[in-house]
Amino acid sequence: MPDPCLHGNYKNLTNVHRSVSYETAYPETPLCDIDLDTGWYRFVVDAESKMPETCVDPFKCGTTVPIWLNCTHPSVSDGIQTRRACANLQAGGASSGPCCGQAVNIGVKNCEGFFVYYLHPTRACPMAYCAGKDAPCPAGKWSPTGFPPGCKDPYPQLTDPPKFRGPVIKRRSVYFTCDLTFSGNDPDQVFEFVWLFDGVEDPKVPPEVVRDPKRSARLDGAQLAGLLNKNVGCKVRAFYKQNVVKKGPWLESTRTYWAGIQTDPSKISIRTDEDKFDVVIRSTLPVLCNSSVKDDQCCVWIYLSVTGSEGDQAFLVVSKDCRYSICKSDWNSTSQEASKTVSVVASKTQMQYGTKDLLVSFENIVIADTSRTEIQITASAILGGHLNLYISVPGTDYLNGRGLCGTFDNNPNNDLTHRNDDSTSLFRIVPPETGESYVPQYCKCNNDGRGTVNCTYQGDINERKLPKTDGAIAIE
């Protein structure tokens, strides 16, 4: 038979509530050994860690019915001995009568410094074996040994959520911080910070674990690669490095920060009889370059690409150009943004096609490669509604009017014709302009974002190519 004293031939029972000094209290769940596997066990509870040899009162040892050893322990020379273990079923305690309502034979061996016991599962619940005599930490408290001194909460009790701060610009870098305010000081406590993107963790940005007295984590701008155009936030929880299995709840920052480039508004409705509508392209991150690039050349180029069919539909055009830049010098430290305004119009005029609504949705802001400085914004233009013309005339005008579907003058051949020429459609003649006025130039952006740009007003089209950039500027 293998020696039960050798390591690996026994299992440890470590619950400090098995001590005879610990009393079970509501609503604590009492210990029960009904699921214990039959075999050799060593109690690791306190310095003594052996079963009591005298009767134990009910509700002690972390259970309702405690089991004690109704005999003395053997010596080292005795080897393995059989001993009688008793369960105290007396509700009145040890002084009210016999303490051995149920008994079971167990094996015991003195291993010269500790004891091992050959135990069996209990017959019912709540019933458990007792061991140790020192009073452990109260229920809900913890210490590295399980006993006083040093009993405390199982994890640091955080009360205030972390503060999300940033963006912070320092020289040619940008970063965010997640700061925790916590008054407790303990070299054993640990704080785990996690960054959130639209409320979700990302495996590319691992948690940051810091130890007392540090209370802050940092997210560098370079870590945002592939995570732009999201709300950035953070959360934190605390635990003791000697009790990592028991961690506190997460506390999430109340503030988040949208990091990326967006249009304001993201959707607009432009009538073809309106002059223009201003759309703001806004970056909530600063443009930063390495030291070899001058500040006035440290820019991100943004190309506006407009999708949507033409022909009978109206299409979107923008003022002056389809390429815009946001530079380092555009950053406003107060509002924490850099922006450019783009004026857009619906290209069909009311005189040519009637009043219609052009619905525009700015979407698909692509920032695929943060090592380059070219960004494309796609605007989808959809024409809504139809031109309906309703004409009502009184019956007294019968035979006194013309051009109304042949019903008022009995002549169907002059419907909707100009009064000066029966063969010319009324809608093919545009009244001449009167006076002189400034006419702004607008451009239609092709789908490729950097190809031919058509700048037009009332049919006059000049084609030109956008200048090419000298290459990407590295963003730190």
Side-chain angles (χ1 to χ4, degrees):
M1 177 180 178
D3 185 359
C5 291
L6 297 179
H7 182 73
N9 292 337
Y10 61 84
K11 298 178 182 178
N12 289 330
L13 295 176
T14 60
N15 196 320
V16 296
H17 291 176
R18 292 183 182 273
S19 171
V20 296
S21 299
Y22 185 81
E23 184 170 350
T24 308
Y26 179 83
E28 180 183 1
T29 301
L31 296 177
C32 184
D33 289 331
I34 195 171
D35 294 324
L36 197 70
D37 294 329
T38 299
W40 287 99
Y41 290 89
R42 175 187 176 183
F43 293 104
V44 184
V45 177
D46 59 8
E48 186 177 76
S49 291
K50 69 177 185 178
M51 291 184 67
E53 298 174 350
T54 58
C55 181
V56 179
D57 287 340
F59 302 103
K60 296 290 187 178
C61 304
T63 188
T64 302
V65 180
I67 302 175
W68 56 284
L69 192 65
N70 192 8
C71 191
T72 60
H73 282 74
S75 64
V76 175
S77 60
D78 290 335
I80 298 175
Q81 296 291 311
T82 300
R83 292 290 189 264
R84 186 177 180 82
C86 290
N88 183 4
L89 302 177
Q90 300 294 327
S95 61
S96 65
C99 289
C100 199
Q102 289 184 4
V104 62
N105 289 331
I106 64 173
V108 184
K109 184 178 181 181
N110 190 327
C111 296
E112 196 172 3
F114 63 92
F115 292 91
V116 291
Y117 303 85
Y118 191 81
L119 304 179
H120 307 277
T122 58
R123 299 176 184 177
C125 283
M127 186 181 295
Y129 294 96
C130 291
K133 62 180 181 180
D134 294 338
C137 292
K141 299 297 181 178
W142 168 89
S143 74
T145 63
F147 295 89
C151 295
K152 53 191 175 184
D153 292 325
Y155 48 81
Q157 300 292 319
L158 304 183
T159 56
D160 298 325
K163 301 291 186 182
F164 180 87
R165 306 181 191 277
V168 179
I169 303 173
K170 189 174 183 180
R171 295 182 180 178
R172 297 183 181 274
S173 64
V174 59
Y175 62 88
F176 299 88
T177 63
C178 188
D179 304 319
L180 176 66
T181 301
F182 182 61
S183 59
N185 294 311
D186 190 331
D188 189 44
Q189 63 191 7
V190 179
F191 304 99
E192 182 180 6
F193 291 87
V194 170
W195 296 99
L196 302 175
F197 304 91
D198 284 344
V200 180
E201 300 178 38
D202 191 280
K204 295 190 293 294
V205 183
E208 184 174 349
V209 178
V210 301
R211 292 185 176 179
D212 203 56
K214 190 175 181 181
R215 301 278 200 281
S216 180
R218 172 169 163 164
L219 177 69
D220 291 322
Q223 294 177 276
L224 291 174
L227 295 171
L228 294 177
N229 295 343
K230 297 179 183 293
N231 281 299
V232 183
C234 65
K235 64 180 181 180
V236 64
R237 65 179 176 182
F239 59 93
Y240 293 109
K241 61 183 178 182
Q242 297 188 58
N243 192 26
V244 295
V245 297
K246 193 69 173 178
K247 297 182 178 181
W250 289 106
L251 290 182
E252 191 169 331
S253 61
T254 56
R255 175 182 177 258
T256 60
Y257 187 83
W258 196 91
I261 295 180
Q262 61 185 347
T263 58
D264 184 19
S266 61
K267 294 182 179 181
I268 59 176
S269 176
I270 310 176
R271 293 178 63 84
T272 53
D273 59 348
E274 293 177 336
D275 290 336
K276 67 174 183 176
F277 196 100
D278 289 339
V279 176
V280 179
I281 302 174
R282 179 177 290 110
S283 173
T284 60
L285 291 174
V287 179
L288 302 174
C289 303
N290 56 43
S291 57
S292 62
V293 181
K294 297 180 180 179
D295 287 350
D296 58 350
Q297 297 177 351
C298 181
C299 303
V300 170
W301 290 99
I302 299 174
Y303 294 85
L304 179 62
S305 175
V306 181
T307 63
S309 61
E310 300 178 14
D312 293 336
Q313 293 193 14
F315 56 85
L316 185 72
V317 294
V318 300
S319 62
K320 297 182 180 179
D321 207 340
C322 296
R323 187 183 73 160
Y324 301 87
S325 64
I326 293 180
C327 301
K328 179 180 179 180
S329 57
D330 295 324
W331 182 255
N332 186 319
S333 58
T334 302
S335 61
Q336 292 187 320
E337 66 178 36
S339 62
K340 284 294 176 68
T341 300
V342 181
S343 296
V344 298
V345 297
S347 65
K348 305 299 185 181
T349 66
Q350 182 182 11
M351 291 182 296
Q352 293 171 314
Y353 291 90
T355 301
K356 299 186 179 183
D357 292 331
L358 183 65
L359 304 179
V360 182
S361 174
F362 293 92
E363 55 191 13
N364 299 334
I365 300 181
V366 180
I367 311 177
D369 184 357
T370 56
S371 65
R372 298 184 61 82
T373 59
E374 297 178 357
I375 299 172
Q376 180 173 324
I377 300 178
T378 300
S380 298
I382 302 175
L383 186 66
H386 301 277
L387 179 62
N388 296 314
L389 180 63
Y390 299 93
I391 301 176
S392 298
V393 294
T396 55
D397 286 342
Y398 180 65
L399 297 179
N400 293 321
R402 55 175 290 174
L404 296 177
C405 304
T407 57
F408 270 61
D409 62 354
N410 295 321
N411 182 6
N413 297 320
N414 63 6
D415 291 347
L416 302 179
T417 55
H418 198 275
R419 63 183 179 180
N420 296 328
D421 185 352
D422 289 346
S423 63
T424 303
S425 171
L426 176 65
F427 294 97
R428 291 182 181 176
I429 297 178
V430 179
E433 295 185 31
T434 58
E436 295 183 358
S437 61
Y438 168 74
V439 178
Q441 187 181 56
Y442 288 86
C443 307
K444 179 171 68 70
C445 302
N446 290 348
N447 292 345
D448 60 6
R450 54 179 62 84
T452 302
V453 177
N454 295 328
C455 297
T456 177
Y457 177 75
Q458 289 192 350
D460 298 325
I461 298 177
N462 297 316
E463 294 189 355
R464 58 188 176 89
K465 292 283 187 177
L466 283 174
K468 295 184 178 180
T469 59
D470 295 332
I473 300 175
I475 300 178
E476 293 183 345

